[in-house]
Amino acid sequence: MPGGKLYESDFEETTIERLQKQGYQYIPASQLQIRTDLSQVVLWDRLEMFLRHRYPQLPTNAIQALTNLFTDPQGTTWQLRNQRFHEMMVKGVDFGYEVGGETKYIHAYPIDWDNVDSNDFVVVNQLDIVGKMARRPDILIYINGLPLVVFELKSPFKENATVEDAYTQITNYTYDITQLFNYNTFAVIADGAQTLHGMPGAPIDYFTAWKSIDGRTVDNNIANSMRTLVEGLFPKERLLEYIRDFIVFMDDGKQTIKIGAKYHQYFGVLFAVEQAIRATRPEGDRRIGVIWHTQGSGKSISMLFFSAILSRHPDLNNPTIVVQVDRNDLDEQLYKTFVAGFSLVGHVKRADSADDLRDLLKNEAGQIVFSTIEKFRLKDSEAEHPVLSERRNVIVIADEAHRTQYGNEQGGGFAVNLRRALPNASFIGFTGTPISFAGRDTEELFGNVIHTYDMLQAVEDKATVPIYYESRLIPLDVNNEDIDEDFKGIIAEADSGDELDQYKAKWAALEKVVGTKHRLETLAKDILRHFSEKASSKEKAMVVCMSRQICVDLYDELRKLPGCPYIEVIFTGDVSKDPKGWREVQPGSKYAHIKSNDEREEVKAKLKDPEDPLKMVIVRDMWLTGFDAPPVSILYVDKPMKGHNLMQAIARVNRVFPDKTGGIVVDYIGIATALKEATQRYTSGGGRGEPTYDIEQAVEVFYTYLQEVRAFLPGDIDTIGWRVLPKVDREDWLAERINELMGDKAEPFILAQKKLAKAHLLVRHLDEVIERANEILLYDILATQLKKLQGPGQGGRGSTTQGDLEKQITQLVHESVEANEPLDLFKVAGLERPDLSILDEAFLADLQEKKHVDLRLKLLQKLLEDRIVVIFRQNKAVSKSLLELLEKTIAEYHGNVIQAADVIRAMIEIKKKADEEVKKRSDLGLSEEEAAFYDIIQARGMEAFDNKFIADLVHKIVNAMKTKFQPDWTSPHRQEIFSSVQTAVKHVLMREKIKGDQLRFLTEAIVEQAKEQYKNWPLDA
């Protein structure tokens, strides 16, 4: 009344009015037909009326029997009855009835899903219900007499009436009037400041706001929350869509959890379905688009909803859906999600092998198939992947699209094979990484961004919890002035841009510093103290370390501490490198550090279970992506990370969990700058905007570079069909191409191929470019072999950038046409043994009769260079002179100044010098490290002493120095250690009667050599 107070009933009335505007009929409870049984929550007369209208062929007794069937779902608990009712409501039931003594059957539904207006939408308020207790819910939404939605409202005008109270009331209703929840689809709770929807029985943390009416505009204004919910979710057609397509009962074999879509999932999936229908039409471009939903916001469930809708969409005519990921562990997790969602998608299949995948995709029946990208590999003698299906109703879902659909393999590899296998398939990318982070043109490959849901909005919506940052840097226990700069450098370059050798060296150096015993002792104490203070009894933590060794060492340090909880180490094994102890069961655990897949799954389940005593896992790389463990609330970071790798890692602690107010990232290594940069990109709409290049221009650039590379080889070679040659012929053919590029052509070819490879990345998805895949592969292999033959300092590996790291490492380890088919250049060149024992006069005489002379010389040069470096490692002057002589000889050969035989003669002479050095050391009993000191003394012209005396003297000097060496002994601040080494050398020389200028010279020369040779003591010991 005017000027009076406002009450909860006013909030209730305005909500009813909002629903009436959506076409719902409002009937106060007092005006319903007289209910003789107040425990009955179904409006029988309205359900029977709908069934009679929908199935007019049914006699009256059959209508009553069908009504009984729908209203009496079986199950020992209300949760089981609710699941059974939902299944009957959405999927229908087979119903038999008799007419004139004949039994007939229909498939019946309690809702007309195809014709919205055929259904009866009613709002009822304050309905008395008697169960264990008598209760009166504020608002019920009935569809065809079935109570499908319950609202519980608290007064916006009372400060102490909260949405938490409404949640508590709904929860108590599940005990007091259980029968209402046999039919409930979801609940709405509101207090004027917040309006949330969720599943009765779920923790309040999983109730969420509906923040969009059209899916494009997000309304974060809490004053509008009820309006946005009603106008965004309760239009009749939309509500039916939500109930049918966006509610799933997830059964993992241990428990069943009912999940409903959040608004970003609903709209994102609906928009994606629209684009899928467009893209798969005969005139469609087969590019569905990209869904970017930030990590932790339910991307896997969105993929489940999307697949379920497509599977039964009439326009797609029973489609095949291929869910494709890039790693086995992600394939396992996503597959398990779909298996758990059986109630929505039915049976799904997973390809166990490449052959299995081919068989599955040749099947014309609609199905959902899981596979890792590498199963689209070629068989022996296949030049390209065979076509498996030409149907247009094949849809490929690429998880983490930026990683899986470009292919770092030769010539485009698995991603290109996939598109050849399914030439008319349409593609959609799902990613939690902003498009700008992908570093590849995701939109050009998959189509436009369909829907975006970034980190900032996810936290605002409480779809994820906020992440808090704590810096707890541990001072590095070294005194080297330059270490801080190196430390900053590795942080800044952890994901891009530096030269490979420098990058690896910096990483290795930092790893040594980070893994020192003193530092790990400090780290372990701080982690345990922090975890004890911050974590609740049900919260857990992950620790990220730089290496497997550091993981183990930190585990050992933690286990020494009193009060250390149950912890485990998770990383993959390497049978050729793992210490025996890593495969032995650890004290206090039933597992070894190296765990089987089944054991890792057991540990994963323990980490996800808040009641399990496992409190912490230590990892290097595993479980940092695609792994959900909601109880994990703290991430201890002791490893440099950057960009999307960093954001993927910290997302491990952003999952919603009861009473979890936020995740904590504790930084021990200095990721603050990288975190700020990455967070900025994750909260700025996913880096969307104008494309960075025009595709037609990119194609033009590609063909320009392709012509440049082609010019290096004869014009009549078959650059497409070479892959189908028999293996031996193919190796010989490739060796001929390498021979043609040796010498002056090699470096320009490598540079031209590098430009071509970069241009190819931008256009490799286009059909006209896919046709050239074998040609691109050829140039890739040739460039890789040439770079390996060139060696450091000649445009080879030393100039590889970190941007090429993944590709170069893969190809240098697996130089092959197929992944497991290495190209043995020594064998091709006729060198049965890759060593220098063949360099003799007989080899020289045989040289001219052999093929691939240039290749033979290059391989021998490389072997000889390696031998010189190893033998004369401590004698830089000799090493340098021999390498220069060898390089000069090869250059004269390529300049046509000398013949191949002259090169071999020079090589034999150089080899003789190396052999003589080895023999001399052996005769005198000198080790490699002692040889350089022997040369210093001998070079002084000490004719009075025989070789044995000098060798014995060297033994004594080296042993004396080693008793004085300490870490960092050559640094200025450790002058006293340096002086003690000098004194030790001088004392040995003086005892052997060496004095005067000789004493002074030898002392200085020996200590100078020691400074170079033992500067990294004790690592150089």
Side-chain angles (χ1 to χ4, degrees):
M1 82 187 180
K5 291 183 178 180
L6 294 175
Y7 297 94
E8 182 181 308
S9 58
D10 293 287
F11 187 30
E12 184 178 307
E13 289 167 10
T14 58
T15 300
I16 292 170
E17 286 181 22
R18 294 184 190 280
L19 290 164
Q20 285 180 291
K21 288 182 179 179
Q22 299 300 323
Y24 292 66
Q25 180 185 1
Y26 169 50
I27 305 177
S30 59
Q31 294 181 20
L32 287 173
Q33 283 188 342
I34 296 174
R35 294 163 62 228
T36 56
D37 182 0
L38 294 184
S39 67
Q40 183 54 256
V41 296
V42 174
L43 304 181
W44 275 67
D45 56 325
R46 289 182 173 269
L47 178 57
E48 287 187 354
M49 185 186 308
F50 166 79
L51 294 175
R52 192 172 288 111
H53 175 76
R54 183 77 176 83
Y55 305 105
Q57 70 272 37
L58 296 183
T60 300
N61 63 333
I63 290 291
Q64 292 173 342
L66 185 57
T67 302
N68 286 331
L69 179 61
F70 283 130
T71 57
D72 188 25
Q74 299 302 300
T76 55
T77 65
W78 71 261
Q79 291 93 338
L80 290 174
R81 293 191 292 273
N82 181 264
Q83 183 175 355
R84 174 57 186 151
F85 169 75
H86 191 88
E87 182 180 0
M88 291 192 294
M89 175 176 62
V90 170
K91 297 181 179 180
V93 295
D94 290 323
F95 179 72
Y97 63 98
E98 288 192 5
V99 176
E102 180 185 357
T103 301
K104 297 185 177 183
Y105 293 91
I106 61 168
H107 194 75
Y109 297 85
I111 290 175
D112 188 341
W113 300 107
D114 299 322
N115 301 292
V116 175
D117 293 337
S118 298
N119 299 290
D120 176 41
F121 290 79
V122 171
V123 184
V124 176
N125 68 325
Q126 301 300 320
L127 180 71
D128 288 312
I129 303 174
V130 175
K132 266 177 116 175
M133 304 280 191
R135 296 290 180 239
R136 185 183 293 168
D138 288 334
I139 296 175
L140 292 170
I141 301 288
Y142 281 89
I143 302 179
N144 301 335
L146 297 165
L148 299 187
V149 185
V150 57
F151 285 66
E152 192 58 41
L153 311 177
K154 291 300 168 186
S155 173
F157 319 111
K158 288 184 180 179
E159 193 173 332
N160 60 351
T162 66
V163 73
E164 287 80 7
D165 295 335
Y167 167 79
T168 300
Q169 203 158 329
I170 288 286
T171 302
N172 287 331
Y173 285 168
T174 64
Y175 294 93
D176 297 343
I177 47 174
T178 304
Q179 66 271 33
L180 177 65
F181 296 93
N182 292 343
Y183 315 100
N184 180 262
T185 57
F186 63 92
V188 175
I189 54 178
D191 64 1
Q194 293 186 79
T195 302
L196 308 175
H197 67 99
M199 299 301 168
I204 190 173
D205 305 80
Y206 296 102
F207 278 64
T208 187
W210 190 278
K211 290 193 173 182
S212 185
I213 293 173
D214 60 6
R216 300 298 182 191
T217 305
V218 175
D219 189 349
N220 286 315
N221 187 342
I222 58 175
N224 298 334
S225 60
M226 182 59 81
R227 176 178 70 84
T228 305
L229 173 79
V230 172
E231 295 182 21
L233 179 56
F234 281 87
K236 293 178 181 179
E237 184 174 3
R238 192 170 286 179
L239 180 61
L240 291 188
E241 277 181 334
Y242 186 86
I243 292 171
R244 180 185 59 187
D245 297 332
F246 291 93
I247 292 175
V248 60
F249 291 82
M250 301 293 288
D251 181 1
D252 65 0
K254 298 177 181 177
Q255 61 177 342
T256 300
I257 299 174
K258 185 179 180 183
I259 294 175
K262 298 176 174 65
Y263 75 93
H264 69 276
Q265 295 173 308
Y266 172 83
F267 287 115
V269 168
L270 274 191
F271 295 156
V273 170
E274 291 173 6
Q275 293 303 312
I277 302 306
R278 174 199 57 75
T280 55
R281 290 186 181 125
E283 69 279 8
D285 62 1
R286 298 184 286 119
R287 296 186 307 154
I288 297 171
V290 180
I291 295 282
W292 176 53
H293 286 179
T294 194
Q295 294 108 328
S297 62
K299 181 162 56 76
S300 298
I301 298 296
S302 295
M303 294 164 72
L304 180 73
F305 291 140
F306 177 69
S307 300
I309 295 172
L310 294 185
S311 294
R312 58 176 180 269
H313 201 289
D315 289 357
L316 290 175
N317 191 26
N318 199 24
T320 291
I321 299 168
V322 180
V323 184
Q324 173 259 302
V325 299
D326 65 336
R327 297 212 316 265
N328 286 327
D329 56 334
L330 297 184
D331 180 46
E332 177 78 14
Q333 179 162 317
L334 196 53
Y335 173 71
K336 284 183 175 179
T337 297
F338 273 61
V339 170
F342 171 82
S343 66
L344 195 64
V345 295
H347 290 290
V348 296
K349 299 175 182 177
R350 181 165 58 170
D352 295 323
S353 64
D355 287 336
D356 188 29
L357 177 65
R358 293 187 181 196
D359 290 340
L360 287 171
L361 294 183
K362 286 177 184 175
N363 187 342
E364 292 298 310
Q367 55 194 330
I368 298 175
V369 177
F370 280 76
S371 175
T372 50
I373 186 72
E374 53 84 23
K375 289 188 175 70
F376 286 92
R377 58 177 174 265
L378 303 185
K379 294 183 178 180
D380 287 344
S381 78
E382 284 183 340
E384 58 183 44
H385 202 287
V387 173
L388 302 179
S389 176
E390 293 184 335
R391 289 182 295 133
R392 288 193 68 91
N393 64 341
V394 177
I395 292 171
V396 177
I397 301 175
D399 184 31
E400 289 305 335
H402 64 287
R403 293 202 307 248
T404 58
Q405 281 299 306
Y406 301 92
N408 289 316
E409 319 84 50
Q410 299 163 345
F414 306 132
V416 168
N417 292 344
L418 187 160
R419 290 173 181 264
R420 278 186 170 140
L422 306 170
N424 296 316
S426 295
F427 288 74
I428 181 171
F430 280 77
T431 183
T433 301
I435 305 306
S436 61
F437 259 143
R440 326 270 180 94
D441 194 41
T442 307
E443 292 183 49
E444 182 58 45
L445 192 60
F446 290 94
N448 295 325
V449 174
I450 300 170
H451 195 255
T452 297
Y453 187 66
D454 68 18
M455 177 183 288
L456 198 61
Q457 191 61 49
V459 172
E460 175 79 25
D461 295 345
K462 296 184 173 61
T464 61
V465 299
I467 298 174
Y468 301 98
Y469 171 82
E470 290 185 23
S471 177
R472 301 173 75 88
L473 295 180
I474 297 175
L476 303 175
D477 62 344
V478 295
N479 295 310
N480 182 349
E481 296 173 353
D482 298 326
I483 194 67
D484 285 341
E485 291 305 312
D486 287 345
F487 178 68
K488 291 174 185 174
I490 194 66
I491 301 300
E493 302 296 335
D495 235 352
S496 65
D498 205 353
E499 291 188 356
L500 174 57
D501 287 343
Q502 184 179 355
Y503 171 81
K504 291 171 70 176
K506 283 186 176 182
W507 185 272
L510 180 62
E511 186 180 310
K512 287 182 175 68
V513 172
V514 166
T516 58
K517 181 174 177 58
H518 174 69
R519 185 179 180 280
L520 291 183
E521 287 175 350
T522 306
L523 177 64
K525 291 175 184 175
D526 196 72
I527 287 175
L528 188 55
R529 180 168 56 249
H530 183 275
F531 184 76
S532 300
E533 293 172 355
K534 297 286 186 180
S536 70
S537 61
K538 295 186 177 182
E539 289 181 317
K540 310 206 174 185
M542 293 178 71
V543 186
V544 188
C545 297
M546 283 187 69
S547 69
R548 300 189 307 153
Q549 184 63 57
I550 293 176
C551 288
V552 171
D553 291 345
L554 179 60
Y555 174 89
D556 291 340
E557 294 300 334
L558 282 165
R559 292 279 302 153
K560 292 176 186 176
L561 299 174
C564 178
Y566 174 27
I567 57 178
E568 288 289 351
V569 169
I570 295 293
F571 52 61
T572 54
D574 185 334
V575 71
S576 66
K577 295 181 180 179
D578 297 336
K580 185 178 76 166
W582 291 8
R583 296 180 181 274
E584 296 174 348
V585 174
Q586 298 299 308
S589 171
K590 70 173 189 175
Y591 307 106
H593 289 323
I594 305 296
K595 298 172 177 64
S596 67
N597 287 336
D598 288 343
E599 288 174 333
R600 282 201 295 267
E601 288 301 310
E602 288 178 15
V603 174
K604 188 181 291 185
K606 289 174 176 290
L607 194 66
K608 291 181 176 183
D609 181 0
E611 304 299 333
D612 192 275
L614 177 66
K615 293 297 182 183
M616 193 180 300
V617 293
I618 305 173
V619 304
R620 184 187 67 172
D621 298 310
M622 295 192 77
W623 295 5
L624 294 182
T625 61
F627 169 64
D628 291 343
V632 174
S633 301
I634 307 174
L635 182 75
Y636 297 104
V637 179
D638 198 39
K639 171 184 176 179
M641 290 184 287
K642 189 180 179 184
H644 70 266
N645 289 332
L646 174 58
M647 299 309 291
Q648 291 270 10
I650 70 171
R652 297 317 102 203
V653 297
N654 76 350
R655 273 39 176 186
V656 173
F657 183 69
D659 300 321
K660 180 175 171 181
T661 56
I664 302 174
V665 174
V666 182
D667 176 13
Y668 288 105
I669 200 87
I671 60 168
T673 301
L675 185 59
K676 288 175 184 175
E677 292 173 355
T679 303
Q680 175 62 32
R681 297 177 79 173
Y682 266 69
T683 55
S684 60
R688 292 172 295 150
E690 292 300 316
T692 56
Y693 67 90
D694 177 80
I695 192 63
E696 293 182 2
Q697 181 183 354
V699 171
E700 184 179 335
V701 170
F702 166 74
Y703 280 114
T704 299
Y705 289 151
L706 181 59
Q707 290 303 326
E708 287 183 16
V709 173
R710 284 173 173 171
F712 285 91
L713 293 166
D716 59 347
I717 66 170
D718 185 356
T719 58
I720 301 297
W722 62 272
R723 281 188 83 164
V724 296
L725 293 171
K727 289 183 179 180
V728 175
D729 292 344
R730 186 168 62 197
E731 287 191 354
D732 286 342
W733 188 88
L734 287 170
E736 290 292 347
R737 304 291 77 77
I738 294 170
N739 266 327
E740 290 161 0
L741 293 168
M742 295 292 288
D744 294 340
K745 283 185 176 182
E747 185 64 24
F749 176 83
I750 290 170
L751 293 175
Q753 187 276 333
K754 187 174 183 180
K755 289 191 291 185
L756 174 64
K758 289 183 177 179
H760 183 235
L761 278 176
L762 302 177
V763 297
R764 67 196 310 168
H765 59 287
L766 301 178
D767 290 342
E768 62 180 296
V769 177
I770 288 175
E771 297 296 323
R772 312 306 311 169
N774 281 355
E775 183 178 2
I776 302 303
L777 169 60
L778 170 63
Y779 302 144
D780 205 8
I781 290 175
L782 296 180
T784 298
Q785 295 295 336
L786 287 169
K787 281 186 280 188
K788 190 170 184 180
L789 291 171
Q790 291 269 92
Q794 301 179 42
R797 282 180 248 182
S799 61
T800 304
T801 64
Q802 167 59 12
D804 298 326
L805 180 60
E806 183 180 355
K807 177 179 177 182
Q808 291 302 323
I809 290 295
T810 300
Q811 292 184 343
L812 289 176
V813 174
H814 302 289
E815 267 80 39
S816 60
V817 176
E818 287 298 325
N820 297 312
E821 190 182 320
L823 177 61
D824 188 346
L825 287 179
F826 287 97
K827 186 175 180 182
V828 170
L831 306 179
E832 295 301 325
R833 301 185 304 276
D835 59 48
L836 286 169
S837 62
I838 58 175
L839 268 179
D840 55 25
E841 298 299 329
F843 180 82
L844 176 60
D846 191 44
L847 175 68
Q848 302 301 334
E849 300 178 11
K850 298 290 187 181
K851 59 183 179 178
H852 308 318
V853 172
D854 284 4
L855 181 57
R856 290 157 69 86
L857 293 182
K858 192 65 180 178
L859 292 169
L860 289 170
Q861 177 193 358
K862 183 163 177 53
L863 289 172
L864 193 51
E865 285 175 341
D866 291 343
R867 184 163 173 80
I868 291 168
V869 169
V870 169
I871 293 175
F872 298 101
R873 188 195 315 271
Q874 311 302 347
N875 196 326
K876 303 294 190 209
V878 175
S879 176
K880 182 179 179 183
S881 65
L882 291 178
L883 289 174
E884 286 176 348
L885 174 61
L886 182 58
E887 188 176 335
K888 178 174 177 289
T889 305
I890 294 291
E892 288 178 348
Y893 168 73
H894 285 306
N896 297 316
V897 177
I898 59 176
Q899 300 298 313
D902 298 315
V903 179
I904 295 298
R905 289 191 188 94
M907 286 182 170
I908 291 172
E909 288 303 313
I910 294 171
K911 175 178 173 282
K912 284 180 179 177
K913 284 183 169 47
D915 291 343
E916 287 169 2
E917 176 68 17
V918 172
K919 185 176 186 304
K920 179 185 75 174
R921 293 178 189 174
S922 176
D923 292 345
L924 294 172
L926 292 171
S927 66
E928 179 187 327
E929 62 180 324
E930 293 172 332
F933 297 106
Y934 179 92
D935 291 338
I936 288 172
I937 297 173
Q938 191 180 50
R940 185 61 180 161
M942 298 176 67
E943 293 84 357
F945 304 107
D946 62 22
N947 289 339
K948 185 177 184 311
F949 172 83
I950 297 175
D952 289 342
L953 180 61
V954 168
H955 291 321
K956 294 173 183 176
I957 289 171
V958 171
N959 288 336
M961 288 193 296
K962 285 185 175 181
T963 64
K964 302 299 182 183
F965 289 146
Q966 290 189 25
D968 224 13
W969 71 278
T970 60
S971 296
H973 66 278
R974 309 223 59 184
Q975 186 61 44
E976 75 284 358
I977 307 299
F978 182 83
S979 297
S980 70
V981 173
Q982 275 185 316
T983 302
V985 173
K986 188 180 292 185
H987 284 170
V988 172
L989 293 173
M990 291 171 65
R991 281 198 298 270
E992 300 299 331
K993 313 301 184 190
I994 296 169
K995 51 192 172 182
D997 289 342
Q998 275 195 334
L999 175 63
R1000 186 167 53 257
F1001 171 82
L1002 288 177
T1003 301
E1004 291 177 0
I1006 289 169
V1007 173
E1008 280 302 308
Q1009 176 66 25
K1011 282 172 65 177
E1012 176 64 27
Q1013 196 163 318
Y1014 298 111
K1015 61 186 175 184
N1016 293 319
W1017 182 271
L1019 298 179
D1020 295 329

